[in-house]
């Protein structure tokens, strides 16, 4: 009932505020915006000429100027409704006559009257444009002065903490800070009303904190571990992926809910004392950083739950990464405590330098070790792609460099510069960790909706993580910029420039236009893929269509879906492409010549899908290659040869060339087997043997029946042909081989010889060659007899 009562009071108060607003607006006279804009501009010009103005004052003035600039921009762009109406009336009078040509007096008078009225109606628009230009210059000057002040503060040098003189005032400063804090505690205890309010909020704060801690430490591990076990025992692939997505989602959602409850708890017991409010905000920051480090470390590394680990690490590296994340969280918590102390008490420069140096030391070691840890995780990782490895190594070196620079700057007394080198690097690492987990969650969810990628969709499966990573990076850019010192006004300024866009013809293209275009197209693409998956896996298998027809329908639905998604995206983004028709027509001529082969292949692919002269699974011969058609794409067709090689054939070759399709209408085919026997063989016996080997074979059709033809009298053999029909031409080689085995065996058993070619070689003049050899032999013998004896 208490919550309902609070909601009722809020609703009544809101209604009273709305009802009172018009009355207040009627009682308070509205000031002309031009007067307000002029007053603010004069104030900015006055402050810019002064020295010593605080950056906070300049920033507030800059924010006011930015709001007024946006008002002037809207007024300048929208123009005057009355001016537009008058211009329409002017256009109805027709084209004005050329100089020296007469015009009817009443038309000329009306034209002059409307021209004067249009000029008067456009006067506010011109004033708005003038105010817009003035505010742009002033905002630029204010930004320059604010950045100069920030740079000066960043380069301020405190006493070097390495010198003993810097430590001299630290004990006294800490003692005085403690005394002031105890005074505030005593003031709090002396006030019965404040103590009563503190006691009233304490139970609720403790309950909120306890629930938050239980959610993070107990509920999340219990729930997700059960989901993982259920996923391991589930056989259905879709249910397994759904459980994986649910587990990833709850691993993030439950700890975030617990973190929100725990961070909200200190705000329920904040006393109405300045320094006590600083303590409450300090507690909030400490809880945020400690629990945030625990959550991020658990999400990525999960040392106690290897099956839920996002990064592919062994247990030792996972534990090291987990504790490094906790050490960095402890550093940020200590830094939050120091910030709260400096907000309540002004320390001496030496004491401030020493305290900052000690806090920075607590972050240098874990940050440096984290950089080395990242480089070690990808050093021997062959599973990761080259881009991931290079980016990880570069980021690790960046963290190590930031840690070293922070230590050097702090040692020299540049405390603010050291903080800007250390703390943004730590927060950048935290953003990277959160981005990695979000990418895993989103990619897993999308793959679950689209189904597990097949071999044909492998390219999309590879590009999906890259696309998601790019989108997460773009979304995190504002947070990353603010981490490294960018102001909210800087982010809003960049966003204003992006949303303003540029004029292309009659269309203004801005970041919102591009985002709408991409988002609508991606939604259409996801819906198209889902419909294709539904057709491929659910509807088409239940029909009598062959596999080629099913593939053609699925591919055609994909083309139609992508085309519709593109058209709807362009329409939703508000792009008017009619102004680009002339440019597109001129470019189409050049594109037609330069891309005629691509267009020809694309059109041929459409014809292949419609006429279906070639289907997936067909055995074809084209361009000297023979094999099975594995995929008909938009530009080309992939054929797998019998040697298991993939051959990419342009679709135009399949349409314009000669294609032999062995399995277009059916898989029947004729086998012609030539056989030769020796002269003098029994012809009828040869015929009966050839017909006998075909009997009783399941791989040879009985109708038409096998036949034997006597085809000719060869040089060395009598030539026969065994002709038979096969129910499946895919068995041609095996059937041929088995028939040859049987024919050779039976012909050998019957004593019928299978001849081989024989040749007689005769040499002309062989008698003269023999006589010459004989005479040479006798001559050599006579010379040997004339030689004297050695004795």
């Amino acid at each position: 009932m208490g919550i309902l009562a609070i909601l009722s009071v809020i609703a009544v108060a809101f209604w009273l505020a709305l009802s009172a607003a018009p009355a207040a607006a009627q009682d308070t006279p509205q000031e002309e915006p031009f007067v307000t804009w002029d007053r603010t501009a004069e104030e900015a010009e006055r402050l810019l000429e002064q020295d010593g103005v605080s950056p906070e004052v300049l920033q507030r003035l800059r924010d006011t100027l930015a709001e007024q600039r946006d008002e002037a921009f809207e007024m300048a762009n929208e123009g005057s409704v009355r001016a537009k109406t008058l211009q329409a009336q002017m256009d109805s009078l027709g084209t004005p006559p050329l100089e020296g040509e007469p015009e009817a007096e009443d038309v000329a008078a009306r034209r002059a009257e409307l021209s004067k009225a249009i000029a008067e109606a456009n006067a506010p628009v011109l004033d708005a444009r003038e105010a817009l230009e003035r505010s742009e210059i002033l905002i630029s000057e204010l930004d320059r002065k604010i950045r100069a002040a920030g740079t000066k503060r960043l380069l301020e040098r405190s006493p070097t903490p390495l010198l003993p003189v810097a430590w001299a005032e630290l004990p006294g400063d800490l003692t005085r800070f403690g005394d002031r804090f105890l005074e505030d505690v005593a003031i709090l205890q002396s006030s019965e009303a404040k103590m009563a309010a503190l006691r009233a909020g304490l139970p609720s704060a403790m309950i909120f904190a306890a629930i938050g801690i239980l959610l993070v430490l107990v509920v999340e591990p219990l729930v997700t571990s059960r989901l993982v076990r259920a996923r391991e025992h589930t056989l259905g692939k879709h249910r397994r992926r759904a459980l994986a997505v649910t587990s990833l989602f709850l691993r993030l959602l439950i700890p975030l809910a617990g973190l929100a409850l725990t961070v909200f708890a200190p705000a329920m017991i904040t006393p109405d004392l300045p320094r006590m409010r600083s303590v409450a905000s300090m507690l909030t920051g400490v809880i945020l950083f400690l629990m945030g480090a625990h959550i991020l470390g658990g999400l990525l590394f999960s040392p106690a739950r290897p099956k839920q680990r996002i990064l592919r690490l062994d247990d030792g590296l996972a534990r090291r990464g987990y504790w490094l994340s906790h050490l960095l969280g402890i550093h940020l918590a200590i830094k939050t405590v120091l910030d709260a102390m400096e907000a309540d008490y002004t320390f001496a420069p030496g004491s401030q330098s020493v305290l900052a140096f000690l806090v920075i030391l607590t972050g240098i070691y874990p940050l440096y070790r984290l950089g080395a840890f990242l480089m070690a995780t990808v050093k021997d990782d062959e599973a990761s792609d080259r881009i991931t490895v290079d980016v990880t190594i570069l980021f690790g070196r960046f963290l190590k460099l930031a840690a070293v620079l922070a230590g050097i700057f702090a040692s020299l007394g540049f405390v603010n510069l050291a903080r800007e080198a250390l703390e943004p690097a730590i927060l950048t690492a935290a953003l990277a960790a959160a981005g990695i987990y979000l990418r895993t969650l989103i990619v897993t969810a999308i793959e679950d909706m689209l189904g597990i990628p097949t071999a044909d969709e492998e390219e999309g499966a590879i590009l999906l993580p890259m696309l998601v990573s790019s989108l997460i990076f773009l979304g995190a850019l504002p947070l990353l910029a603010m981490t490294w010192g960018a102001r909210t006004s800087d982010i809003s300024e960049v966003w204003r420039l992006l949303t303003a866009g540029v004029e292309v013809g009659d269309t203004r293209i801005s970041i919102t236009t591009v985002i709408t275009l991409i988002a609508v197209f991606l939604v259409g693409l996801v819906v198209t893929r889902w419909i294709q998956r539904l057709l491929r896996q659910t509807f088409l298998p239940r029909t009598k269509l062959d596999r080629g027809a099913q593939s053609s329908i699925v591919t055609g639905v994909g083309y139609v879906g992508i085309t519709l998604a593109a058209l709807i995206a362009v329409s939703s983004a508000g792009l008017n492409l009619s102004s680009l028709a002339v440019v597109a027509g001129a470019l189409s001529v050049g594109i037609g010549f330069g891309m005629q082969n691509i267009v020809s292949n694309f059109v041929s692919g459409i014809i292949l899908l419609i006429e279906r002269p070639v289907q997936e699974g067909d055995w074809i011969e084209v361009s000297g290659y023979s094999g099975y058609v594995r995929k008909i794409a938009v530009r080309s067709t992939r054929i797998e040869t019998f040697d298991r090689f993939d051959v990419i054939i342009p679709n135009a070759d399949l349409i314009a060339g000669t294609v032999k399709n062995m399995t277009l209408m059916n898989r029947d085919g004729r086998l012609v087997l030539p056989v030769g026997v020796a002269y003098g063989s029994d012809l009828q016996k040869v015929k009966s043997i050839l017909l006998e080997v075909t009997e009783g074979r399941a791989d040879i059709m009985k109708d038409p029946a096998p036949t034997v033809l006597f085809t000719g009298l060869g040089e060395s053999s009598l030539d026969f042909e065994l002709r038979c029909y096969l129910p499946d031409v895919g068995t041609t080689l095996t059937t041929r081989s088995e028939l040859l085995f049987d024919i050779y065996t039976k012909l050998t058993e019957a004593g019928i010889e299978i001849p081989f070619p024989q040749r007689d070689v005769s040499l002309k003049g062989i008698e003269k060659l023999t006589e010459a050899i004989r005479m040479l032999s006798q001559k050599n013998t006579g010379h040997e007899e004339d030689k004297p004896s050695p004795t």
Side-chain angles (χ1 to χ4, degrees):
M1 293 296 293
I3 296 177
L4 292 176
I6 293 173
L7 292 176
S8 301
V9 171
I10 293 174
V12 171
F14 184 68
W15 178 79
L16 291 175
L18 289 179
S19 60
Q26 293 176 0
D27 295 340
T28 304
Q30 292 291 328
E31 190 176 39
E32 286 291 334
F34 303 105
V35 177
T36 306
W37 298 346
D38 189 63
R39 185 186 304 116
T40 306
E42 291 177 354
E43 177 69 13
E45 292 172 353
R46 184 179 63 83
L47 292 179
L48 284 172
E49 294 176 355
Q50 296 179 5
D51 295 329
V53 182
S54 66
E56 290 76 14
V57 174
L58 295 177
Q59 183 63 44
R60 285 195 296 269
L61 183 59
R62 193 247 183 233
D63 294 338
T64 304
L65 272 174
E67 293 177 1
Q68 296 176 358
R69 179 193 58 187
D70 294 339
E71 295 175 1
F73 178 77
E74 292 179 2
M75 182 179 294
N77 279 349
E78 293 178 359
S80 171
V81 176
R82 176 166 173 75
K84 295 178 181 178
T85 306
L86 293 172
Q87 186 62 46
Q89 296 177 16
M90 175 75 78
D91 295 338
S92 66
L93 297 178
T95 305
L98 298 176
E99 186 177 356
E101 293 184 358
E103 186 178 21
E105 295 183 0
D106 54 344
V107 176
R110 181 59 178 166
R111 191 184 302 278
E113 180 184 352
L114 289 174
S115 298
K116 182 179 179 181
I118 290 173
E120 293 176 355
N122 280 329
V125 176
L126 297 177
D127 292 340
R129 291 175 181 173
E130 180 183 350
L132 176 63
E133 295 295 333
R134 186 181 184 186
S135 60
E136 289 280 6
I137 296 175
L138 292 175
I139 288 173
S140 176
E141 291 297 320
L142 287 172
D143 285 337
R144 183 185 59 79
K145 199 163 187 176
I146 292 172
R147 283 192 292 268
T151 303
K152 182 180 179 180
R153 184 192 64 83
L154 196 63
L155 297 178
E156 287 180 353
R157 185 176 181 183
S158 303
T160 304
L162 300 180
L163 298 177
V165 67
W167 296 70
E169 300 182 11
L170 181 60
D173 283 336
L174 292 177
T175 301
R176 286 187 289 273
F177 174 80
D179 293 340
R180 290 194 178 186
F181 183 77
L182 292 177
E183 290 177 4
D184 289 335
V185 173
I187 294 173
L188 176 63
Q189 293 176 346
S190 64
S191 175
E192 292 294 335
K194 293 178 180 178
M195 287 299 297
L198 182 63
R199 295 189 190 97
L202 187 60
S204 300
M206 295 180 64
I207 292 174
F208 272 72
I211 294 175
I213 294 174
L214 284 175
L215 287 175
V216 174
L217 300 181
V218 179
V219 176
E220 183 271 323
L222 182 63
V223 171
T224 55
S225 297
R226 289 189 176 183
L227 288 175
V228 170
R229 287 196 296 270
R231 180 173 178 265
E232 292 175 350
H233 294 87
T234 300
L235 297 179
K237 61 180 182 180
H238 299 300
R239 180 175 174 81
R240 285 171 59 86
R241 296 193 68 85
L243 288 173
V245 174
T246 305
S247 174
L248 287 171
F249 182 74
L250 292 180
R251 282 191 67 193
L252 181 64
L253 180 62
I254 296 176
L256 287 181
L259 179 63
L261 291 175
T262 311
V263 168
F264 181 69
M268 305 180 67
I269 57 174
T270 302
D272 189 17
L273 290 173
R275 270 187 283 272
M276 291 297 168
R277 284 196 294 270
S278 299
V279 171
S281 62
M282 176 198 69
L283 290 176
T284 300
V286 169
I287 294 172
L288 176 64
F289 289 124
L290 291 180
M291 293 191 68
H294 173 77
I295 293 170
L296 281 178
L299 289 176
L300 288 187
F301 303 109
S302 301
R305 294 177 284 175
K307 296 180 180 179
Q308 302 181 36
R309 192 173 297 157
I310 298 297
L311 301 178
R312 294 190 297 266
L313 302 173
D314 56 37
D315 293 341
L317 286 176
R319 283 192 296 270
R320 189 191 308 175
Y322 181 74
W323 287 112
L324 284 176
S325 64
H326 279 71
L327 290 176
L328 291 173
I330 292 172
H331 162 73
L332 293 177
I334 297 174
K335 179 256 181 187
T336 304
V337 174
L338 178 61
D339 290 343
M341 294 172 61
E342 292 178 345
D344 292 339
Y345 180 78
T346 303
F347 289 89
S351 301
Q352 185 179 9
S353 178
V354 170
L355 289 174
F357 179 72
L358 294 176
V359 173
I360 290 171
L361 287 180
T362 63
I364 289 176
Y365 173 75
L367 184 63
Y368 187 89
R369 295 304 304 167
L370 179 62
F373 167 79
L374 292 177
M375 297 172 65
T377 56
V378 298
K379 183 177 181 181
D380 300 323
D381 189 4
E382 298 180 354
S384 300
D385 57 275
R386 188 70 252 174
I387 296 178
T388 302
V389 172
D390 292 341
V391 171
T392 304
I393 292 177
L394 182 63
F395 187 61
R397 291 175 178 172
F398 162 73
L399 295 181
K400 293 171 67 175
L401 179 63
V404 172
L405 291 178
I408 295 175
F409 293 151
S411 301
L412 297 177
F414 295 99
V415 175
N416 295 329
L417 193 59
R419 287 177 174 176
E420 289 299 322
L422 184 66
E423 293 157 9
I426 297 175
L427 295 178
T428 301
L431 283 176
I436 292 173
Y437 189 83
L438 283 178
R439 187 195 69 165
T440 304
L441 176 60
I442 295 173
V443 169
T444 305
I446 294 178
E447 289 180 350
D448 180 50
M449 290 187 294
L450 297 179
I452 299 176
T454 62
D456 296 336
E457 299 168 341
E458 185 177 358
E459 183 179 358
I462 294 174
L463 292 178
L464 178 61
M466 296 178 61
L467 176 62
V468 173
S469 300
S470 301
L471 293 177
I472 291 177
F473 177 74
L474 291 176
L477 274 180
L479 294 176
L480 189 63
M482 295 179 67
T483 299
W484 286 94
R487 298 167 294 150
T488 308
S489 58
D490 296 332
I491 305 298
S492 61
E493 187 71 16
V494 173
W495 180 252
R496 189 189 72 84
L497 294 175
L498 292 175
T499 53
V502 295
E503 290 284 349
V504 178
D506 297 334
T507 304
R508 177 175 289 273
I509 299 179
S510 62
I511 187 64
T512 54
T513 304
V514 175
I515 291 175
T516 303
L517 182 69
I518 295 175
V520 175
F521 179 75
L522 288 179
V523 170
L525 184 61
V526 170
V527 172
T528 301
R529 296 304 186 198
W530 179 78
I531 294 175
Q532 286 182 293
R533 172 188 168 194
L534 199 64
L535 289 173
R536 185 187 301 111
Q537 299 180 359
T538 305
F539 291 105
L540 293 179
R542 300 179 181 178
T543 64
K544 297 182 180 180
L545 297 174
D546 56 78
R547 188 176 62 177
Q550 295 179 16
S551 177
S552 299
I553 292 175
V554 172
T555 306
V557 169
Y559 292 157
V560 173
I562 292 175
T563 303
L564 290 177
L567 294 176
I568 295 173
V570 171
S571 177
S572 301
L575 296 178
N576 181 14
L577 302 182
S578 60
S579 58
L580 301 178
V582 177
V583 178
L587 291 176
S588 62
V589 178
I591 293 174
F593 284 106
M595 302 180 63
Q596 55 183 344
N597 290 333
I598 297 176
V599 174
S600 175
N601 290 325
F602 176 79
V603 174
S604 299
I606 301 297
I607 295 174
L608 287 175
L609 293 175
I610 295 175
E611 292 187 356
R612 297 173 59 211
V614 175
Q615 305 174 28
E616 292 186 10
D618 285 354
W619 173 15
I620 67 172
E621 289 184 4
V622 59
S623 301
Y625 297 98
S626 178
Y628 291 104
V629 177
R630 294 307 183 195
K631 182 174 179 57
I632 301 175
V634 178
R635 189 194 65 83
S636 61
T637 297
R638 180 167 60 89
I639 298 175
E640 181 183 359
T641 65
F642 299 112
D643 296 328
R644 296 298 177 91
F645 297 144
D646 287 335
V647 180
I648 308 301
I649 305 294
N651 288 333
D653 292 352
L654 296 175
I655 296 298
T658 301
V659 181
K660 183 178 180 181
N661 193 334
M662 273 66 73
T663 57
L664 176 60
M665 304 304 297
N666 52 62
R667 298 192 65 83
D668 299 350
R670 189 177 69 173
L671 171 62
V672 178
L673 187 62
V675 178
V677 297
Y679 276 90
S681 302
D682 188 343
L683 301 182
Q684 294 300 325
K685 193 170 186 179
V686 172
K687 180 179 179 180
S688 62
I689 289 175
L690 294 179
L691 292 176
E692 182 183 349
V693 297
T694 62
E695 295 177 355
R697 296 186 63 93
D699 53 357
I700 296 179
M701 298 174 62
K702 295 180 175 58
D703 186 19
T707 59
V708 176
L709 300 178
F710 187 9
T711 59
L713 303 173
E715 295 181 0
S716 305
S717 64
L718 302 174
D719 298 331
F720 291 83
E721 281 187 358
L722 171 61
R723 299 187 177 189
C724 55
Y725 286 87
L726 310 180
D728 185 1
V729 292
T731 62
T732 299
L733 293 178
T734 57
T735 304
R736 176 189 292 271
S737 175
E738 292 174 1
L739 287 174
L740 288 175
F741 273 112
D742 293 343
I743 290 171
Y744 181 79
T745 301
K746 291 186 177 296
L747 289 178
T748 302
E749 293 175 354
I752 298 175
E753 182 182 354
I754 300 177
F756 53 88
Q758 299 180 7
R759 298 289 185 267
D760 294 331
V761 180
S762 59
L763 299 176
K764 294 182 178 181
I766 189 63
E767 296 84 2
K768 294 180 179 181
L769 180 61
T770 304
E771 181 66 22
I773 294 174
R774 186 182 63 79
M775 292 178 64
L776 182 62
S777 176
Q778 290 178 356
K779 184 178 180 180
N780 291 336
T781 304
H783 283 297
E784 290 178 358
E785 291 177 354
D786 293 340
K787 289 182 181 180
S789 173
T791 58

